[in-house]
Amino acid sequence: MRKPFTRKPFIAGNWKMNKTVAETKAYIAEFLPLVEDAEADVALCVPFTDIAVASEALAGSKVGLGAQNVSWADKGAYTGEISAEMLVEAGVKYVIIGHSERRAMFGDTDKTVNMRTIAALKAGLIPILCVGETEQQRMTNKTNAVLRKQMKAAFENIAVEDAVKVIIAYEPIWAIGTGKTATPEDAEETCAFVRSLFSRVYKKVAAKKVRVLYGGSMNAANAKDLMAKENIDGGLIGGASLVVGDFVKVVKY
């Protein structure tokens, strides 16, 4: 039995550092006809070098274009960064902010995640804001404390009318790219906790509107069970989004 959604499901593919321009063209040409009847909102978050060709290929379709990072600055001496204005001009609608790989390998902090989120919202982008704990933090019962700290910092100085536009992705770091995944019950419990943290900062009615995704190795085999849970509104999909057939199965869970 399909759960009655009050929030429209959202499935985003995070390609990470994969796919050339030619591969992007081929993927989208195959993908779009297969998801025309999808009931969820769908997005492809591609590398910066693929944005131009993806924007052209996705034009007029129901699939939104996403980037994988955004600068907190409007312009200036920030070698290697891309501004929100640049992304909007290129046709981007969504942007991933605070992914665990950006935090662990490229120095993103709770503070810079907040700054990037504010910049994205100011430009009209929809942030896909990532939060989550490591395996060590989970094993030492620190999950809730970590999420509480990340959520509080991420939404600092953001008004409720902007906060409800943010899509929150709970991604247990120990489950990203490992093949491990939380049970649907565990994922639901933590996603519900994330929503409760949002309601502590904003009104409960706002918390009911915000979409919370699960980002820990969701795939064709487990998507249906995860998506059946009340507080899981979609997925941020890594490896399973790189193959058209696999990602279509997730989109059409």
Side-chain angles (χ1 to χ4, degrees), residues 4-231:
F5 283 108
T6 56
R7 298 169 295 272
K8 189 171 183 180
F10 180 77
I11 306 292
N14 176 18
W15 286 1
K16 305 189 179 185
M17 196 176 71
N18 291 288
K19 299 198 182 297
T20 63
V21 166
E23 290 169 336
T24 299
K25 286 182 180 179
Y27 182 107
I28 293 175
E30 182 182 355
F31 180 67
L32 287 183
L34 300 176
V35 295
E36 286 180 348
D37 59 345
E39 296 182 25
D41 286 335
V42 183
L44 294 176
C45 299
V46 306
F48 288 133
T49 53
D50 295 332
I51 285 175
V53 67
S55 179
E56 182 178 354
L58 293 173
S61 77
K62 67 182 295 181
V63 178
L65 176 59
Q68 298 175 16
N69 193 26
V70 63
S71 175
W72 59 77
D74 294 335
K75 61 180 65 175
Y78 298 95
T79 301
E81 288 289 295
I82 307 293
S83 75
E85 181 183 7
M86 293 172 181
L87 294 179
V88 171
E89 185 180 45
V92 172
K93 182 177 181 180
Y94 305 96
V95 61
I96 299 172
I97 297 175
H99 191 280
S100 61
E101 290 159 4
R102 298 299 311 177
R103 294 179 189 249
M105 291 186 275
F106 302 103
D108 246 346
T109 65
D110 289 342
K111 177 63 176 177
T112 60
V113 166
N114 173 251
M115 293 165 66
R116 294 184 198 278
T117 302
I118 290 173
L121 289 167
K122 179 182 175 183
L125 293 168
I126 300 174
I128 302 173
L129 173 66
C130 300
V131 297
E133 84 283 12
T134 65
E135 185 169 20
Q136 176 65 23
Q137 289 165 338
R138 184 176 181 83
M139 292 298 98
T140 53
N141 297 315
K142 294 179 180 177
T143 295
N144 288 1
V146 170
L147 294 175
R148 190 178 293 110
K149 178 176 178 289
Q150 290 176 339
M151 287 285 290
K152 181 180 179 181
F155 286 96
E156 187 173 355
N157 297 320
I158 297 177
V160 64
E161 56 267 27
D162 286 326
V164 294
K165 301 172 186 175
V166 176
I167 298 169
I168 304 169
Y170 164 61
E171 43 160 26
I173 297 169
W174 48 271
I176 299 173
T178 64
K180 299 178 182 179
T181 186
T183 66
E185 292 72 25
D186 286 343
E188 163 66 10
E189 180 180 358
T190 310
C191 286
F193 179 69
V194 168
R195 193 181 304 283
S196 75
L197 292 174
F198 188 91
S199 70
R200 293 179 192 181
V201 180
Y202 305 102
K203 297 178 181 179
K204 287 186 178 180
V205 65
K208 291 181 179 180
K209 293 179 181 179
V210 72
R211 290 189 282 191
V212 179
L213 314 181
Y214 176 71
S217 295
M218 183 184 285
N219 54 48
N222 61 30
K224 184 176 180 180
D225 289 339
L226 287 164
M227 288 297 297
K229 298 301 182 181
E230 181 180 353
N231 285 286

